[in-house]
Amino acid sequence: MRKENSTNAVNEKALQEYCNAFKTLSLFSGRWKLSILFKLLTTETSYSEFKLLLPEISDRTLSKQLNELIQDEVILKNKNKVSSIYTLTDKGRKLDTILKALAEFQDKD
């Protein structure tokens, strides 16, 4: 975690204010966020299902990345009696085209 007043943090904040593309790409920062979002494009998913899908991810990292996506208003966490279920928000669903284009980029060569 970097300090809020560090040069990197200040530069990142400035870029987010001046460039919407950078702001959108920053939603994906984090090693596992793309995998999390791709899963949620097809179905709502519980925490335990994410652990099965991504067995290499630590509990701490999964929780952190899910919480960041919630904070960015890309996903919602719905609690029921058994577990928490994660779904895309309307804002998150707008990422569908972008995510699919990213996935297809390597196949275009």
Side-chain angles (χ1 to χ4, degrees):
M1 183 121 220
R2 77 179 121 190
K3 296 178 185 175
E4 286 186 40
N5 60 351
S6 71
T7 301
N8 285 337
V10 170
N11 289 342
E12 183 175 341
K13 185 176 180 183
L15 283 169
Q16 286 186 4
E17 289 178 14
Y18 300 120
C19 181
N20 282 338
F22 180 86
K23 189 174 183 177
T24 300
L25 284 176
S26 70
L27 294 174
F28 308 137
S29 68
R31 181 172 295 167
W32 302 97
K33 285 184 183 176
L34 285 173
S35 296
I36 291 167
L37 291 170
F38 269 106
K39 177 65 175 167
L40 291 173
L41 284 176
T42 57
T43 186
E44 59 185 29
T45 307
S46 70
Y47 187 91
S48 59
E49 289 171 322
F50 280 123
K51 287 296 291 179
L52 291 173
L53 176 69
L54 308 167
E56 297 86 7
I57 194 169
S58 70
D59 285 327
R60 181 179 182 272
T61 300
L62 178 57
S63 293
K64 182 177 185 253
Q65 303 233 323
L66 288 169
N67 287 329
E68 287 174 3
L69 289 166
I70 291 167
Q71 185 178 4
D72 290 334
E73 300 177 347
V74 176
I75 67 172
L76 289 174
K77 178 181 180 178
N78 301 303
K79 295 181 181 181
N80 63 29
K81 292 181 181 180
V82 178
S83 66
S84 295
I85 303 295
Y86 296 88
T87 59
L88 290 173
T89 62
D90 288 339
K91 180 179 176 180
R93 281 192 267 298
K94 290 179 183 178
L95 295 171
D96 181 79
T97 304
I98 296 167
L99 294 172
K100 288 178 179 173
L102 284 171
E104 292 174 5
F105 179 78
Q106 286 299 107
D107 294 336
K108 300 271 180 174
D109 293 337

